[in-house]
Amino acid sequence: MQVSDMRALRLIFYTKTQRLHRLNPSIPNSLSSFPQFSRHFLHSTPSLHHSNSTAETAPRAWSIYDPAPGTDGNGNAKKPNLDIVGNKKKGKARLSWVCADCGHSDGQWWGTCRQCNAIGTLKRFSEGGSAEVSEGKTWLSPKAGESRPMRLTDVNRGINQLNWRIPLYGPFGNEVSRVLGGGIVPGSLVLVGGDPGVGKSTLLLQIAAMIAERNDLGQPAPVVYVSGEESVEQIGNRADRLSIGADELFLYSNTEIGDILGKSQPLSPRVIIVDSIQTVYLEGVAGSAGGPAQVKECTSALLRFAKKTNIPILLIGHVTKSGDLAGPHVLEHIVDVVLYMEGEKYSSYRLLRSLKNRFGSTDELGVFEMSQSGLQAVSNPSEMFLSDQYSDSEYLAGLAVAVIMDGSRTFLIEVQALCASGSTAARQVNGIQASRADMIISVLMKQTGLKLQENAIFLNVVSGVKLSETAGDLAVAAAICSSFLEFPIPNNIAFIGEVGLGGELRMVPRMEKRVNTVAKLGYKMCIVPKSAEKSLGSHGFEGMEIIGCRNLKEVINTVFR
């Protein structure tokens, strides 16, 4: 260290000791009383007693050690304290901008999120620098006795996997259990999302009533339904409309997580339902309810509570305009199960699918129908998209049946086509990918010789279903041929297969399950790719003929003859 630096340090230290001595005469004011400093400072600079003015204007941001660590000004014991002279110990509030879609945080506002490129999603978020880390900052707090690794055999000892889950009974319960993987897992955190008005609250209220009414433990099993959007009277009115009158179903209206868990735990509930995660908040966390920080910390607190008490918690989540779950993406990572409820605006059918499931498959799909008494399970979902009036009428030319799969469920849907010759209208496609429809039309013109250039073609999938998989290509091509040739397709024929650019028919996954569903519904003929005919013929589907075709020309010669 240079001589000038040593002089400056000695000047600062001398000034501070003089001030402390004036406040408390018991504190020595001589450098020689501090042997840990005297050997560094006393032999390097001249006397400092001549420059009090210089001492007063010295910098005030040097770190010093409290000269009396054992006592305070009154002689009471205290802990050593490292401080910054002239600066406050309390940290400043830090301002950041957080994306409401992906949760990315930035130090300044950019207009668009630099992580997901979303526009207008940045929200202002202020963090207190002096705020202590609350209990809600960690996802899981270790229990006593679980702070060490455990053998897998020790964890599973005494657990009966058959009776481990909370069962749901009846057709409605079976549909929900199918999606969950067999029932509700104790200590799990389940998030249910969907568009407004699709039936999320109705679904969870029916689940709560089912668990409260039919308890497999042989004793009362309370279920707590907490709402931050509705009053207790409004929930009771909805329960009365659904004919729900379970004695062990408790209703509570609150938005503070600590109060919700504190009031629910003494009841020892079998399940807790929170409607919704965007309306609750956790004290000590910055931001308003529904903000990225609140949503994350509230979900973490609920997860910690569920794991400690082994009580499953079902959450309802809002969605954005694009259909994604509202809040940071970390919300979907925290929870154990993510369910999504779908339904068309003018359709009574509701589909419940699993987007994430740590305890089961995500290929399952639950099918319900909304009625005056709530959600009802659909007895035969495979034919729910078929028309009731379906015959060999000349007015039904351009109608073909496709066999598609959604998860593990097989559905038969109707594809309609209309070829209007001499029309100047632009091509219209509903329920089918426009690029896929253009490709199939081009293949028909090139490979089969159909003169479709002078026709305005309209395609539609009945019941508002979205035909996304390639297994429906053959039905789309058959419907266009039927309308162009003005030849109705018999009502007992189904089509399965993908169409290639050369007009060839290709295999699609799970052919056996698709054909088996068609046979159960009473169809007499099923058109499939030639490569699948041999493998399917060995199964012997009674009452149905399986016809294999290599390309679209063979399909036309087989069906329209």
Side-chain angles (χ1 to χ4, degrees):
M1 184 179 293
Q2 297 181 0
V3 175
S4 60
D5 294 333
M6 295 290 294
R7 291 176 178 176
L9 288 176
R10 185 178 180 185
L11 176 64
I12 297 291
F13 189 83
Y14 176 79
T15 303
K16 300 306 175 184
T17 53
Q18 291 294 323
R19 290 180 179 177
L20 292 172
H21 178 71
R22 287 196 297 267
L23 295 175
N24 190 357
S26 63
I27 298 177
N29 62 348
S30 175
L31 289 176
S32 60
S33 303
F34 299 91
Q36 66 269 34
F37 297 104
S38 60
R39 65 174 177 267
H40 296 293
F41 297 147
L42 290 178
H43 306 289
S44 59
T45 59
S47 175
L48 297 172
H49 295 283
H50 69 281
S51 182
N52 291 334
S53 60
T54 304
E56 292 295 329
T57 60
R60 302 182 59 189
W62 295 91
S63 297
I64 66 169
Y65 192 75
D66 193 337
T71 60
D72 56 13
N74 299 324
N76 300 323
K78 68 174 184 178
K79 297 180 180 179
N81 182 26
L82 185 64
D83 198 0
I84 303 299
V85 177
N87 295 338
K88 294 182 179 180
K89 294 171 60 179
K90 185 176 181 179
K92 296 181 180 180
R94 185 170 65 90
L95 181 64
S96 60
W97 297 87
V98 182
C99 177
D101 286 351
C102 66
H104 175 70
S105 178
D106 212 324
Q108 61 180 341
W109 185 82
W110 293 94
T112 61
C113 177
R114 298 197 292 176
Q115 181 72 21
C116 64
N117 297 325
I119 301 176
T121 59
L122 294 180
K123 305 296 182 183
R124 184 174 178 177
F125 177 61
S126 178
E127 295 180 274
S130 62
E132 296 182 359
V133 178
S134 63
E135 186 181 357
K137 294 296 182 182
T138 57
W139 283 12
L140 287 174
S141 299
K143 290 182 181 180
E146 290 187 357
S147 57
R148 56 181 177 81
M150 299 179 64
R151 290 189 179 92
L152 176 63
T153 55
D154 295 337
V155 174
N156 293 331
R157 183 177 293 116
I159 299 178
N160 187 354
Q161 298 295 336
L162 298 178
N163 301 326
W164 182 46
R165 298 173 182 256
I166 300 175
L168 301 175
Y169 303 95
F172 172 82
N174 292 336
E175 285 294 310
V176 178
S177 297
R178 171 194 290 269
V179 181
L180 291 174
I184 301 176
V185 174
S188 61
L189 189 62
V190 181
L191 176 65
V192 181
D195 294 331
V198 75
K200 303 182 296 295
S201 300
T202 302
L203 173 71
L204 294 190
L205 186 59
Q206 290 184 235
I207 293 176
M210 179 176 297
I211 297 175
E213 290 174 353
R214 300 193 61 175
N215 179 27
D216 58 305
L217 297 178
Q219 56 184 356
V223 177
V224 179
Y225 187 101
V226 182
S227 177
E229 303 174 346
E230 300 175 281
S231 64
V232 174
E233 291 76 15
Q234 291 173 332
I235 305 174
N237 181 268
R238 178 153 49 92
D240 182 69
R241 178 172 54 87
L242 301 177
S243 301
I244 295 176
D247 294 334
E248 296 299 326
L249 179 57
F250 293 85
L251 306 180
Y252 188 44
S253 180
N254 204 325
T255 57
E256 206 281 306
I257 287 294
D259 184 75
I260 291 173
L261 299 181
K263 297 292 179 58
S264 301
Q265 188 172 7
L267 298 175
S268 299
R270 195 79 193 276
V271 175
I272 297 178
I273 297 174
V274 179
D275 183 7
S276 64
I277 188 61
Q278 279 78 17
T279 61
V280 295
Y281 70 95
L282 185 64
E283 288 190 358
V285 178
S288 59
Q294 283 288 353
V295 170
K296 173 186 174 182
E297 298 303 336
C298 289
T299 308
S300 301
L302 293 173
L303 176 73
R304 196 166 53 251
F305 178 85
K307 302 305 179 185
K308 285 184 177 181
T309 61
N310 216 30
I311 298 175
I313 300 179
L314 309 182
L315 307 176
I316 291 181
H318 297 170
V319 296
T320 60
K321 293 181 179 179
S322 60
D324 299 326
L325 288 169
H329 280 187
V330 71
L331 171 64
E332 302 176 40
H333 292 283
I334 297 176
V335 300
D336 298 313
V337 181
V338 179
L339 304 181
Y340 197 88
M341 200 169 189
E342 302 174 355
E344 293 294 329
K345 183 177 181 181
Y346 301 105
S347 175
S348 60
Y349 292 110
R350 302 289 187 266
L351 303 179
L352 183 65
R353 65 178 73 252
S354 175
L355 303 182
K356 171 189 176 181
N357 193 350
R358 290 173 176 165
F359 315 113
S361 173
T362 56
D363 292 334
E364 297 295 341
L365 181 72
V367 184
F368 305 90
E369 183 176 7
M370 182 66 76
S371 63
Q372 292 292 335
S373 58
L375 292 169
Q376 306 292 333
V378 177
S379 58
N380 192 0
S382 299
E383 59 179 359
M384 69 180 188
F385 298 120
L386 298 177
S387 301
D388 295 332
Q389 303 295 330
Y390 187 78
S391 61
D392 296 333
S393 171
E394 60 181 359
Y395 302 106
L396 291 180
L399 184 63
V401 176
V403 184
I404 63 172
M405 295 201 69
D406 195 332
S408 62
R409 287 287 181 84
T410 306
F411 298 94
L412 274 65
I413 62 174
E414 296 175 353
V415 180
Q416 294 176 328
L418 175 63
C419 297
S421 60
S423 176
T424 59
R427 183 177 301 165
Q428 299 292 332
V429 178
N430 183 27
I432 305 173
Q433 295 180 1
S435 58
R436 196 76 188 174
D438 293 340
M439 186 206 72
I440 296 174
I441 294 172
S442 300
V443 171
L444 285 173
M445 291 189 294
K446 177 69 176 179
Q447 305 298 339
T448 64
L450 296 181
K451 305 299 182 180
L452 301 174
Q453 295 88 338
E454 299 179 355
N455 289 263
I457 301 177
F458 302 87
L459 294 174
N460 178 53
V461 179
V462 180
S463 301
V465 182
K466 303 296 182 182
L467 184 57
S468 57
E469 65 168 337
T470 58
D473 290 354
L474 184 55
V476 174
I480 295 174
C481 294
S482 174
S483 178
F484 180 78
L485 300 174
E486 296 183 356
F487 193 109
I489 300 176
N491 61 354
N492 56 5
I493 299 179
F495 299 88
I496 307 174
E498 177 183 353
V499 176
L501 292 178
E504 77 279 8
L505 301 187
R506 296 178 176 271
M507 286 275 292
V508 294
R510 304 181 184 180
M511 286 291 299
E512 180 183 349
K513 188 169 186 178
R514 298 174 195 261
V515 176
N516 187 34
T517 303
V518 173
K520 288 182 179 180
L521 295 178
Y523 282 75
K524 302 300 181 183
M525 183 183 298
C526 185
I527 308 297
V528 298
K530 190 70 175 181
S531 56
E533 183 181 13
K534 293 182 179 180
S535 60
L536 295 174
S538 60
H539 290 80
F541 299 101
E542 298 181 1
M544 187 179 69
E545 181 182 4
I546 299 176
I547 299 179
C549 299
R550 293 184 177 86
N551 48 51
L552 290 176
K553 287 185 178 180
E554 293 188 11
V555 175
I556 294 176
N557 294 331
T558 302
V559 179
F560 306 103
R561 61 182 178 181

